[in-house]
Amino acid sequence: MSAIEPFGARLRRAMDERGPLCVGIDPHASLLLQWGLNDDVAGLERFSRTVVEAVADRVAALKPQSAFFERFGSRGVAVLERTVEEARAAGALVIMDAKRGDIGSTMAAYAESFLRRDAPLFSDALTVSPYLGYGSLKPAVDLARENGAGLFVLALTSNPEGAEVQHAVRPDGRTVGATVLAHLAEENAGQTPLGSFGAVVGATLGDLSSYDLRMGGPLLAPGIGAQGATPADLPRVFGPVVRDVLPNVSRSVLRHGPDVGALRDVSERFVEEVRAAVAAR
């Protein structure tokens, strides 16, 4: 049996070929209403399938937010399963935004839900929280390696509340966020062209020169669009690692639905703006 190509290599290729952009699939109630859909399972499915139809064959990654599906119970999770399957079939990498984090067998079970290749919700990567200690993520790290998947670990997030934990200084003088980045650098050591273990780092955070972002893996960057950051901000925030940044855009694309053509046009515009910003670095 041939070896499974690691997530980092697949993501590097997708970013180079399709452009560095991740589009979120966030079917919250207000967006469903804006699209003229009911806040129910039928509306959820119509919304998700429209986003997949519009952009899954042209952007590097799609990022469904699992909470907006889980709120409808088992029928919502069934829609999420179909969304993941159809997005991957169209060529997009799927980053499951579930932000799981626990210990021992529970963390292992979360990992099996999203990172085992025969799981109904198998995704190319999963967002995880390290705030029960980075070592608690080991079951997810191990299963991701085994299945050619990846992780995006919360490191320096765009929400203001995150600073009270992530910027806290440890006894060794290093911040918690910097410690997470250092662990990821160890995970990615020797991996080319890009490691499979990435960090979530907000594009709205401004000057991050006090942090070493050279951790050898991708940087998933929320905050473009509705949260106030623009593609032009990326070189200033991420500096020498900007080529490894995967900006995530959700509301600023999704609000153009349900028109498939409009969703395509705005996503392609974001791709070109990000490419131009990276090239200008």
Side-chain angles (χ1 to χ4, degrees):
M1 181 168 50
S2 60
I4 300 170
E5 187 177 24
F7 169 70
R10 292 185 287 121
L11 179 60
R12 176 78 277 160
R13 183 170 61 252
M15 291 169 66
D16 291 345
E17 293 178 354
R18 293 186 170 203
L21 188 71
C22 174
V23 173
I25 304 180
D26 297 356
H28 50 75
S30 61
L31 263 176
L32 294 176
L33 180 63
Q34 185 178 325
W35 280 34
L37 301 172
N38 292 328
D39 185 23
D40 56 18
V41 174
L44 176 74
E45 183 143 31
R46 174 72 182 277
F47 181 97
S48 303
R49 284 194 153 161
T50 300
V51 177
V52 169
E53 177 189 353
V55 301
D57 63 344
R58 63 196 64 216
V59 300
L62 288 175
K63 183 173 69 65
Q65 168 48 259
S66 65
F68 292 119
F69 296 81
E70 292 174 33
R71 70 192 182 101
F72 292 105
S74 61
R75 292 188 300 157
V77 173
V79 173
L80 181 58
E81 290 176 4
R82 290 192 290 273
T83 300
V84 170
E85 181 182 8
E86 292 169 5
R88 297 188 75 237
L93 298 175
V94 171
I95 301 168
M96 182 62 69
D97 195 358
K99 298 183 179 69
R100 297 302 197 245
D102 216 304
I103 61 172
S105 59
T106 308
M107 187 68 240
Y110 280 138
E112 289 172 4
S113 299
F114 301 104
L115 301 173
R116 197 186 72 240
R117 293 194 75 83
D118 60 351
L121 285 169
F122 174 74
S123 303
D124 297 282
L126 172 68
T127 61
V128 293
S129 172
Y131 297 112
L132 286 172
Y134 183 86
S136 66
L137 299 179
K138 188 176 187 303
V141 170
D142 291 347
L143 199 60
R145 285 193 197 281
E146 180 183 333
N147 289 277
L151 298 178
F152 282 100
V153 183
L154 303 180
L156 298 167
T157 57
S158 57
N159 63 305
E161 303 88 347
E164 69 182 58
V165 174
Q166 296 154 18
H167 294 176
V169 179
R170 291 161 31 101
D172 63 4
R174 191 163 58 179
T175 67
V176 172
T179 300
V180 172
L181 293 170
H183 281 300
L184 291 170
E186 293 175 4
E187 305 287 5
N188 292 318
Q191 299 300 304
T192 58
L194 190 66
S196 296
F197 299 96
V200 179
V201 177
T204 57
L205 297 179
D207 183 7
L208 291 175
S209 58
S210 60
Y211 284 91
D212 188 356
L213 299 177
R214 297 169 299 173
M215 26 69 74
L219 295 151
L220 181 64
I224 300 289
Q227 292 185 47
T230 70
D233 295 323
L234 295 172
R236 175 176 56 86
V237 176
F238 294 97
V241 297
V242 70
R243 184 171 176 268
D244 297 334
V245 172
L246 180 65
N248 177 76
V249 182
S250 296
R251 280 172 288 174
S252 292
V253 169
L254 300 177
R255 65 184 176 85
H256 292 273
D259 186 293
V260 168
L263 290 167
R264 287 176 177 163
D265 289 345
V266 71
S267 64
E268 289 171 357
R269 185 164 68 247
F270 271 112
V271 167
E272 293 310 312
E273 289 177 2
V274 173
R275 276 183 163 151
V278 172
R281 164 64 190 178

